[in-house]
Coordinates of all heavy atoms in Angstrom, one line a residue:
A191 N -13.1 20.0 11.6 CA -12.8 21.4 11.8 C -13.9 22.3 11.4 O -14.3 23.2 12.0 CB -11.5 21.8 11.0
G192 N -14.5 22.0 10.2 CA -15.7 22.7 9.7 C -16.9 22.6 10.7 O -17.6 23.5 11.0
E193 N -17.1 21.3 11.2 CA -18.2 21.1 12.1 C -18.1 21.8 13.4 O -19.0 22.4 13.9 CB -18.3 19.6 12.4 CG -18.8 18.7 11.2 CD -18.5 17.2 11.4 OE1 -18.0 16.8 12.5 OE2 -18.8 16.5 10.4
V194 N -16.8 21.9 13.9 CA -16.6 22.5 15.2 C -16.5 24.0 15.1 O -17.1 24.8 15.9 CB -15.3 21.9 15.9 CG1 -15.0 22.7 17.2 CG2 -15.5 20.4 16.2
L195 N -15.7 24.5 14.2 CA -15.3 25.9 14.1 C -16.2 26.7 13.1 O -16.1 27.9 13.1 CB -13.8 26.1 13.7 CG -12.8 25.3 14.6 CD1 -11.4 25.5 14.0 CD2 -12.9 25.9 16.0
G196 N -17.0 26.0 12.3 CA -17.8 26.7 11.3 C -17.1 26.6 9.9 O -15.9 26.4 9.9
Q197 N -17.8 26.8 8.9 CA -17.3 26.6 7.5 C -16.4 27.7 7.1 O -15.7 27.5 6.0 CB -18.5 26.4 6.6 CG -19.4 25.2 6.9 CD -18.6 23.9 6.9 OE1 -17.7 23.7 6.1 NE2 -18.9 23.0 7.8
D198 N -16.2 28.8 7.8 CA -15.3 29.8 7.4 C -13.8 29.4 7.6 O -12.9 30.0 7.0 CB -15.5 31.1 8.1 CG -16.7 31.9 7.5 OD1 -17.0 31.5 6.3 OD2 -17.2 32.8 8.1
V199 N -13.6 28.4 8.5 CA -12.2 28.0 8.7 C -11.6 27.4 7.4 O -12.3 26.7 6.7 CB -12.1 27.1 9.9 CG1 -12.7 25.7 9.6 CG2 -10.6 26.8 10.3
V200 N -10.4 27.8 7.1 CA -9.7 27.2 5.9 C -9.1 25.9 6.3 O -8.4 25.8 7.3 CB -8.6 28.2 5.4 CG1 -7.9 27.5 4.2 CG2 -9.2 29.5 4.9
T201 N -9.4 24.8 5.5 CA -8.9 23.5 5.8 C -8.0 23.1 4.7 O -8.4 23.3 3.5 CB -10.0 22.5 6.1 OG1 -10.8 22.4 5.0 CG2 -10.8 22.9 7.3
V202 N -6.9 22.4 5.0 CA -6.1 21.9 3.9 C -5.8 20.4 4.2 O -5.2 20.0 5.2 CB -4.7 22.6 3.9 CG1 -3.8 22.0 2.9 CG2 -4.9 24.1 3.7
A203 N -6.4 19.6 3.3 CA -6.2 18.1 3.4 C -5.0 17.7 2.7 O -4.8 18.0 1.5 CB -7.4 17.4 2.9
V204 N -4.0 17.0 3.4 CA -2.8 16.6 2.7 C -2.8 15.1 2.5 O -1.9 14.5 1.9 CB -1.5 17.0 3.5 CG1 -1.4 18.5 3.6 CG2 -1.6 16.4 5.0
K205 N -3.9 14.4 2.9 CA -4.1 13.0 2.6 C -5.5 12.6 2.9 O -6.2 13.3 3.6 CB -3.1 12.2 3.6 CG -3.3 12.5 5.0 CD -2.1 12.0 5.9 CE -2.2 12.5 7.3 NZ -1.0 12.1 8.1
E206 N -5.9 11.4 2.3 CA -7.2 10.9 2.5 C -7.1 9.5 3.0 O -6.5 8.6 2.3 CB -8.0 10.9 1.2 CG -9.4 10.4 1.4 CD -10.3 10.6 0.1 OE1 -9.7 11.0 -1.0 OE2 -11.5 10.2 0.2
A207 N -7.6 9.2 4.2 CA -7.4 7.9 4.8 C -8.3 6.8 4.2 O -9.5 7.0 3.9 CB -7.6 8.0 6.3
Y208 N -7.8 5.6 4.1 CA -8.6 4.4 3.8 C -9.0 3.6 5.0 O -9.7 2.6 5.0 CB -7.7 3.4 2.9 CG -7.4 4.0 1.5 CD1 -6.1 4.3 1.2 CD2 -8.4 4.3 0.6 CE1 -5.8 4.8 -0.1 CE2 -8.2 4.8 -0.6 CZ -6.8 5.0 -1.0 OH -6.6 5.6 -2.2
G209 N -8.4 4.0 6.2 CA -8.6 3.3 7.5 C -7.9 4.1 8.5 O -7.6 5.3 8.3
R210 N -7.4 3.4 9.6 CA -6.7 4.2 10.6 C -5.2 4.3 10.3 O -4.5 5.2 10.7 CB -6.8 3.5 12.0 CG -6.3 4.3 13.1 CD -6.7 3.8 14.5 NE -6.5 4.8 15.5 CZ -5.3 4.9 16.2 NH1 -4.3 4.1 15.9 NH2 -5.2 5.9 17.0
T211 N -4.7 3.4 9.4 CA -3.2 3.4 9.1 C -2.9 3.3 7.7 O -1.8 2.7 7.3 CB -2.5 2.2 9.9 OG1 -3.2 1.0 9.6 CG2 -2.6 2.4 11.4
A212 N -3.7 3.8 6.8 CA -3.4 3.8 5.4 C -4.1 5.1 4.7 O -5.2 5.4 5.1 CB -3.9 2.6 4.7
A213 N -3.4 5.7 3.8 CA -4.0 6.9 3.2 C -3.4 7.1 1.8 O -2.3 6.6 1.5 CB -3.7 8.1 4.0
K214 N -4.1 7.8 1.0 CA -3.6 8.3 -0.3 C -3.1 9.7 -0.1 O -3.8 10.6 0.4 CB -4.7 8.3 -1.4 CG -4.2 8.8 -2.7 CD -5.2 8.4 -3.8 CE -6.3 9.4 -3.9 NZ -7.2 9.1 -5.0
L215 N -1.8 9.9 -0.4 CA -1.2 11.2 -0.1 C -1.4 12.2 -1.3 O -1.2 11.7 -2.4 CB 0.3 11.1 0.1 CG 0.8 10.1 1.2 CD1 2.3 10.1 1.3 CD2 0.2 10.5 2.6
V216 N -1.6 13.4 -1.0 CA -1.5 14.5 -2.0 C -0.1 14.5 -2.5 O 0.8 14.4 -1.6 CB -2.0 15.8 -1.4 CG1 -1.7 17.0 -2.3 CG2 -3.5 15.8 -1.1
P217 N 0.2 14.7 -3.8 CA 1.6 14.8 -4.2 C 2.4 15.9 -3.3 O 1.8 16.9 -2.9 CB 1.6 15.3 -5.6 CG 0.3 14.8 -6.1 CD -0.7 14.8 -4.9
M218 N 3.6 15.5 -2.9 CA 4.3 16.3 -1.9 C 4.4 17.8 -2.2 O 4.0 18.6 -1.3 CB 5.7 15.8 -1.7 CG 6.5 16.4 -0.5 SD 8.1 15.7 -0.2 CE 9.0 16.4 -1.6
I219 N 4.8 18.2 -3.4 CA 4.9 19.6 -3.7 C 3.5 20.3 -3.6 O 3.4 21.4 -3.0 CB 5.5 19.8 -5.1 CG1 7.0 19.4 -5.1 CG2 5.3 21.3 -5.6 CD1 7.7 19.5 -6.4
E220 N 2.5 19.6 -4.1 CA 1.1 20.1 -4.1 C 0.7 20.3 -2.6 O 0.0 21.3 -2.3 CB 0.2 19.2 -4.8 CG -1.1 19.8 -5.2 CD -2.0 18.7 -5.8 OE1 -1.5 17.9 -6.7 OE2 -3.2 18.7 -5.5
A221 N 1.0 19.4 -1.8 CA 0.6 19.5 -0.4 C 1.1 20.8 0.3 O 0.4 21.5 0.9 CB 1.0 18.3 0.4
R222 N 2.4 21.0 0.1 CA 3.0 22.2 0.7 C 2.5 23.5 0.0 O 2.3 24.5 0.7 CB 4.5 22.1 0.5 CG 5.1 20.8 1.1 CD 5.3 20.8 2.6 NE 5.3 19.5 3.2 CZ 6.1 18.4 3.0 NH1 7.0 18.5 2.1 NH2 6.0 17.3 3.7
Q223 N 2.2 23.4 -1.3 CA 1.7 24.6 -2.0 C 0.3 24.9 -1.4 O -0.1 26.0 -1.2 CB 1.6 24.4 -3.5 CG 3.0 24.5 -4.1 CD 3.0 24.1 -5.6 OE1 2.0 23.4 -6.0 NE2 4.0 24.4 -6.4
K224 N -0.5 23.8 -1.2 CA -1.9 24.0 -0.6 C -1.9 24.6 0.7 O -2.7 25.4 1.1 CB -2.6 22.6 -0.6 CG -3.2 22.2 -1.9 CD -3.8 20.8 -1.8 CE -5.1 20.8 -1.0 NZ -5.7 19.4 -0.9
I225 N -0.9 24.2 1.6 CA -0.8 24.8 2.9 C -0.5 26.3 2.8 O -1.1 27.1 3.5 CB 0.3 24.0 3.8 CG1 -0.2 22.6 4.1 CG2 0.5 24.8 5.1 CD1 0.9 21.7 4.8
E226 N 0.5 26.6 2.0 CA 0.9 28.0 1.8 C -0.3 28.8 1.3 O -0.5 29.9 1.8 CB 2.1 28.1 0.9 CG 2.7 29.5 0.9 CD 4.0 29.6 0.0 OE1 4.6 28.6 -0.2 OE2 4.2 30.7 -0.4
A227 N -0.9 28.3 0.3 CA -2.1 29.0 -0.3 C -3.2 29.2 0.7 O -3.9 30.2 0.8 CB -2.6 28.3 -1.6
G228 N -3.4 28.1 1.5 CA -4.5 28.1 2.5 C -4.2 29.2 3.6 O -5.1 29.9 4.0
V229 N -3.0 29.4 4.0 CA -2.6 30.4 4.9 C -2.9 31.8 4.4 O -3.4 32.6 5.1 CB -1.1 30.2 5.3 CG1 -0.5 31.5 5.9 CG2 -0.9 29.0 6.2
K230 N -2.5 32.0 3.1 CA -2.7 33.3 2.5 C -4.2 33.6 2.5 O -4.6 34.7 2.8 CB -2.1 33.3 1.1 CG -0.6 33.3 1.1 CD 0.0 33.2 -0.3 CE 1.5 33.1 -0.3 NZ 2.0 32.7 -1.7
E231 N -5.0 32.6 2.1 CA -6.5 32.8 2.0 C -7.0 33.1 3.4 O -7.8 34.1 3.6 CB -7.1 31.5 1.5 CG -8.6 31.6 1.4 CD -9.3 30.3 1.1 OE1 -8.6 29.3 0.8 OE2 -10.6 30.2 1.4
A232 N -6.5 32.4 4.4 CA -7.1 32.5 5.8 C -6.7 33.9 6.3 O -7.5 34.6 7.0 CB -6.5 31.5 6.7
L233 N -5.5 34.4 6.1 CA -5.1 35.7 6.6 C -5.7 36.8 5.8 O -6.0 37.9 6.3 CB -3.6 35.8 6.6 CG -2.9 34.9 7.6 CD1 -1.3 35.1 7.6 CD2 -3.4 35.1 9.0
A234 N -6.1 36.6 4.5 CA -6.7 37.6 3.7 C -8.1 37.9 4.2 O -8.6 39.0 4.1 CB -6.8 37.2 2.2
K235 N -8.8 36.9 4.8 CA -10.1 37.1 5.4 C -10.2 37.1 6.9 O -11.2 36.9 7.5 CB -11.1 36.1 4.8 CG -10.8 34.7 5.0 CD -11.8 33.7 4.4 CE -11.7 32.3 4.8 NZ -12.7 31.4 4.2
L236 N -9.0 37.4 7.5 CA -8.9 37.4 8.9 C -9.8 38.3 9.7 O -10.3 38.0 10.7 CB -7.4 37.7 9.3 CG -7.1 37.7 10.8 CD1 -7.3 36.4 11.4 CD2 -5.6 38.2 11.0
S237 N -10.1 39.5 9.0 CA -11.0 40.5 9.7 C -12.4 39.9 10.0 O -13.1 40.4 10.9 CB -11.1 41.7 8.9 OG -11.6 41.4 7.6
R238 N -12.8 38.9 9.2 CA -14.1 38.3 9.5 C -14.1 37.1 10.4 O -15.2 36.6 10.8 CB -14.7 37.8 8.1 CG -14.9 38.9 7.1 CD -15.9 38.6 6.0 NE -15.6 37.4 5.3 CZ -14.8 37.3 4.2 NH1 -14.2 38.4 3.8 NH2 -14.6 36.2 3.6
A239 N -12.9 36.7 10.9 CA -12.8 35.5 11.7 C -13.2 35.7 13.1 O -13.0 36.8 13.6 CB -11.4 35.0 11.7
K240 N -13.9 34.7 13.7 CA -14.4 34.8 15.1 C -13.7 33.8 15.9 O -13.5 32.6 15.6 CB -15.9 34.6 15.1 CG -16.7 35.7 14.6 CD -18.1 35.6 15.0 CE -19.0 36.7 14.3 NZ -19.1 36.5 12.8
P241 N -13.2 34.2 17.1 CA -12.6 33.3 18.1 C -13.6 32.2 18.5 O -14.8 32.5 18.6 CB -12.2 34.1 19.3 CG -12.3 35.5 18.8 CD -13.2 35.6 17.7
F242 N -13.2 31.0 18.7 CA -14.0 29.9 19.2 C -14.1 29.9 20.7 O -13.1 29.6 21.4 CB -13.5 28.5 18.7 CG -14.3 27.4 19.2 CD1 -15.6 27.1 18.7 CD2 -13.7 26.4 20.1 CE1 -16.3 26.0 19.2 CE2 -14.4 25.3 20.5 CZ -15.7 25.1 20.0
K243 N -15.2 30.4 21.3 CA -15.2 30.6 22.7 C -16.2 29.6 23.3 O -17.3 29.4 22.8 CB -15.7 32.0 23.1 CG -14.6 33.1 22.9 CD -15.2 34.5 23.2 CE -14.1 35.5 23.0 NZ -13.1 35.6 24.0
I244 N -15.9 29.0 24.5 CA -16.8 28.2 25.2 C -17.3 28.9 26.4 O -16.5 29.4 27.2 CB -16.1 26.8 25.6 CG1 -15.8 26.1 24.3 CG2 -17.0 26.0 26.5 CD1 -15.2 24.7 24.5
A245 N -18.6 29.0 26.6 CA -19.2 29.8 27.6 C -18.9 29.2 29.0 O -19.1 28.0 29.2 CB -20.7 30.0 27.4
A246 N -18.5 30.0 30.0 CA -18.3 29.5 31.3 C -19.6 29.6 32.1 O -20.4 30.5 31.7 CB -17.2 30.4 32.0
P247 N -19.9 28.8 33.1 CA -19.0 27.7 33.6 C -18.9 26.6 32.6 O -19.9 26.3 31.8 CB -19.7 27.3 34.9 CG -21.1 27.6 34.7 CD -21.2 28.9 33.8
C248 N -17.8 25.8 32.6 CA -17.6 24.8 31.6 C -17.7 23.4 32.3 O -16.9 23.1 33.3 CB -16.2 24.9 31.0 SG -15.9 26.5 30.3
T249 N -18.6 22.6 31.9 CA -18.7 21.2 32.4 C -18.0 20.3 31.5 O -18.4 20.2 30.3 CB -20.2 20.8 32.6 OG1 -20.8 21.8 33.6 CG2 -20.3 19.4 33.1
F250 N -17.0 19.6 32.0 CA -16.2 18.7 31.2 C -16.7 17.2 31.6 O -16.9 17.0 32.8 CB -14.7 18.8 31.6 CG -14.0 20.0 31.0 CD1 -14.2 21.2 31.6 CD2 -13.1 19.8 30.0 CE1 -13.6 22.3 31.1 CE2 -12.4 20.9 29.5 CZ -12.7 22.2 30.0
E251 N -16.7 16.4 30.6 CA -17.0 15.0 30.8 C -15.9 14.2 30.1 O -15.7 14.4 28.9 CB -18.4 14.6 30.3 CG -18.8 13.2 30.6 CD -20.2 12.9 30.1 OE1 -21.2 13.6 30.5 OE2 -20.4 11.9 29.3
L252 N -15.3 13.3 30.9 CA -14.2 12.5 30.3 C -14.6 11.0 30.4 O -14.8 10.4 31.4 CB -12.9 12.7 31.2 CG -11.7 11.9 31.0 CD1 -11.3 11.8 29.5 CD2 -10.6 12.3 31.9
G253 N -14.7 10.4 29.2 CA -15.0 9.0 29.1 C -13.7 8.2 28.9 O -12.9 8.5 27.9
Y254 N -13.4 7.3 29.8 CA -12.1 6.5 29.7 C -12.4 5.2 29.0 O -13.6 4.8 28.9 CB -11.6 6.2 31.1 CG -11.2 7.3 32.0 CD1 -12.1 8.0 32.8 CD2 -9.9 7.7 32.0 CE1 -11.7 9.0 33.6 CE2 -9.5 8.8 32.8 CZ -10.4 9.4 33.6 OH -10.0 10.4 34.5
H255 N -11.4 4.5 28.6 CA -11.5 3.1 28.0 C -11.9 2.1 29.2 O -12.7 1.2 28.9 CB -10.3 2.7 27.3 CG -10.0 3.4 26.1 ND1 -10.8 3.3 25.0 CD2 -9.0 4.3 25.7 CE1 -10.3 4.1 24.0 NE2 -9.2 4.7 24.5
L256 N -11.3 2.3 30.3 CA -11.4 1.3 31.4 C -11.8 1.9 32.7 O -11.5 3.1 33.0 CB -10.0 0.6 31.7 CG -9.3 0.0 30.5 CD1 -7.9 -0.5 30.9 CD2 -10.1 -1.2 30.0
S257 N -12.5 1.2 33.6 CA -13.0 1.7 34.9 C -11.8 2.0 35.7 O -11.8 3.0 36.5 CB -13.9 0.7 35.6 OG -13.3 -0.5 35.7
A258 N -10.7 1.2 35.6 CA -9.5 1.4 36.4 C -8.9 2.8 36.2 O -8.2 3.4 37.0 CB -8.4 0.3 36.2
Q259 N -9.1 3.3 34.9 CA -8.5 4.6 34.6 C -9.2 5.7 35.2 O -8.7 6.8 35.4 CB -8.5 4.7 33.1 CG -7.6 3.7 32.4 CD -7.6 3.8 30.9 OE1 -8.7 4.0 30.3 NE2 -6.5 3.6 30.2
A260 N -10.5 5.5 35.6 CA -11.3 6.6 36.3 C -11.1 6.6 37.8 O -11.4 7.6 38.4 CB -12.8 6.4 35.9
D261 N -10.6 5.5 38.3 CA -10.5 5.3 39.8 C -9.7 6.4 40.5 O -10.2 7.1 41.4 CB -9.9 4.0 40.1 CG -10.8 2.8 39.9 OD1 -12.1 3.1 39.8 OD2 -10.4 1.6 39.9
M262 N -8.4 6.6 40.0 CA -7.6 7.6 40.7 C -8.1 9.0 40.7 O -8.1 9.7 41.7 CB -6.2 7.5 40.1 CG -5.4 6.3 40.4 SD -4.8 6.3 42.1 CE -3.2 7.1 41.9
G263 N -8.6 9.4 39.6 CA -9.1 10.8 39.5 C -10.3 11.0 40.4 O -10.4 12.0 41.1
A264 N -11.2 10.0 40.5 CA -12.4 10.0 41.3 C -11.9 10.0 42.8 O -12.6 10.7 43.6 CB -13.3 8.9 41.0
M265 N -10.9 9.3 43.1 CA -10.4 9.2 44.5 C -9.7 10.4 45.0 O -9.8 10.8 46.2 CB -9.5 8.0 44.7 CG -10.2 6.7 44.6 SD -9.0 5.4 44.6 CE -9.9 3.9 44.0
L266 N -8.9 11.1 44.1 CA -7.9 12.1 44.5 C -8.4 13.5 44.3 O -7.9 14.4 45.0 CB -6.6 11.9 43.9 CG -5.9 10.5 44.2 CD1 -4.5 10.5 43.5 CD2 -5.7 10.4 45.7
L267 N -9.1 13.8 43.3 CA -9.4 15.2 42.9 C -10.8 15.6 43.5 O -11.8 15.0 43.3 CB -9.4 15.4 41.4 CG -8.0 15.4 40.7 CD1 -8.1 15.9 39.3 CD2 -7.0 16.2 41.5
P268 N -10.8 16.8 44.2 CA -12.0 17.3 44.7 C -13.0 17.8 43.6 O -12.5 18.1 42.5 CB -11.6 18.5 45.6 CG -10.3 18.9 45.0 CD -9.7 17.7 44.4
N269 N -14.2 17.8 43.8 CA -15.2 18.3 42.9 C -15.3 17.5 41.6 O -15.8 18.0 40.6 CB -14.9 19.8 42.5 CG -14.8 20.6 43.8 OD1 -15.6 20.4 44.8 ND2 -13.8 21.5 43.8
V270 N -14.7 16.3 41.6 CA -14.9 15.4 40.4 C -16.0 14.4 40.7 O -15.9 13.7 41.7 CB -13.5 14.8 40.0 CG1 -13.8 13.7 39.0 CG2 -12.6 15.8 39.5
K271 N -16.9 14.3 39.8 CA -18.1 13.4 40.0 C -17.9 12.1 39.2 O -17.5 12.2 38.0 CB -19.3 14.1 39.6 CG -20.6 13.6 40.1 CD -21.8 14.5 39.8 CE -22.3 14.3 38.4 NZ -23.3 15.2 38.0
R272 N -18.2 11.0 39.8 CA -18.2 9.7 39.1 C -19.5 9.5 38.4 O -20.5 9.2 39.1 CB -17.8 8.6 40.0 CG -17.6 7.2 39.3 CD -16.2 6.7 39.6 NE -15.8 5.7 38.7 CZ -14.7 4.9 39.0 NH1 -14.0 5.1 40.1 NH2 -14.3 4.0 38.2
V273 N -19.6 9.7 37.1 CA -20.9 9.5 36.4 C -21.2 8.1 36.3 O -22.3 7.7 36.5 CB -20.8 10.2 35.0 CG1 -22.1 10.0 34.2 CG2 -20.4 11.7 35.1
D274 N -20.2 7.2 35.9 CA -20.4 5.8 35.9 C -19.0 5.2 36.0 O -18.0 5.9 36.2 CB -21.2 5.3 34.7 CG -20.6 5.6 33.4 OD1 -19.3 5.6 33.3 OD2 -21.3 5.8 32.4
A275 N -18.9 3.9 35.9 CA -17.6 3.2 36.1 C -16.4 3.9 35.3 O -15.3 4.1 35.7 CB -17.7 1.8 35.7
R276 N -16.7 4.2 34.0 CA -15.7 4.7 33.1 C -15.8 6.2 32.8 O -15.1 6.7 31.9 CB -15.7 4.0 31.8 CG -15.5 2.5 31.9 CD -15.3 1.8 30.6 NE -16.5 1.9 29.7 CZ -16.6 1.5 28.5 NH1 -15.5 1.1 27.9 NH2 -17.7 1.6 27.8
T277 N -16.6 6.9 33.6 CA -16.9 8.3 33.2 C -16.8 9.3 34.4 O -17.4 9.0 35.4 CB -18.3 8.5 32.6 OG1 -18.4 7.5 31.6 CG2 -18.4 9.9 31.9
L278 N -16.0 10.3 34.3 CA -15.9 11.4 35.3 C -16.4 12.7 34.7 O -16.2 12.9 33.5 CB -14.5 11.5 35.8 CG -13.8 10.3 36.4 CD1 -12.4 10.7 36.9 CD2 -14.6 9.7 37.6
S279 N -16.9 13.6 35.6 CA -17.2 14.9 35.1 C -16.9 15.9 36.2 O -16.9 15.6 37.4 CB -18.7 15.0 34.7 OG -19.5 15.4 35.7
F280 N -16.8 17.2 35.8 CA -16.5 18.3 36.8 C -16.9 19.6 36.1 O -16.9 19.6 34.8 CB -15.0 18.3 37.2 CG -14.1 18.5 36.1 CD1 -13.6 19.8 35.8 CD2 -13.6 17.5 35.4 CE1 -12.7 20.0 34.7 CE2 -12.7 17.7 34.3 CZ -12.3 18.9 34.0
T281 N -17.1 20.6 36.9 CA -17.4 21.9 36.3 C -16.4 22.9 36.8 O -16.0 23.0 37.9 CB -18.8 22.4 36.8 OG1 -19.8 21.4 36.2 CG2 -19.2 23.7 36.2
A282 N -15.9 23.7 35.8 CA -14.9 24.8 36.1 C -15.5 26.2 35.8 O -16.2 26.3 34.8 CB -13.6 24.5 35.3
D283 N -15.1 27.2 36.6 CA -15.6 28.5 36.4 C -14.9 29.1 35.1 O -15.4 30.1 34.6 CB -15.3 29.4 37.6 CG -16.1 29.0 38.8 OD1 -17.2 28.5 38.5 OD2 -15.7 29.3 39.9

Side-chain angles (χ1 to χ4, degrees):
E193 288 164 5
V194 174
L195 303 176
Q197 297 302 322
D198 277 348
V199 66
V200 174
T201 59
V202 179
V204 294
K205 55 195 172 186
E206 181 175 5
Y208 294 115
R210 192 167 193 271
T211 53
K214 180 162 83 177
L215 306 178
V216 167
M218 188 176 73
I219 289 177
E220 193 184 320
R222 306 277 156 60
Q223 285 170 345
K224 280 175 71 180
I225 293 172
E226 188 178 336
V229 161
K230 290 174 185 169
E231 181 194 343
L233 292 180
K235 58 180 191 179
L236 180 60
S237 58
R238 301 203 299 276
K240 287 194 184 67
F242 178 68
K243 284 180 180 288
I244 292 182
C248 307
T249 298
F250 286 74
E251 185 177 302
L252 170 54
Y254 295 90
H255 290 294
L256 306 172
S257 57
Q259 294 175 323
D261 285 344
M262 288 285 272
M265 289 174 194
L266 297 181
L267 288 192
N269 308 320
V270 169
K271 201 170 79 185
R272 188 122 192 192
V273 178
D274 61 32
R276 298 191 294 172
T277 313
L278 300 182
S279 92
F280 62 93
T281 298
D283 291 335

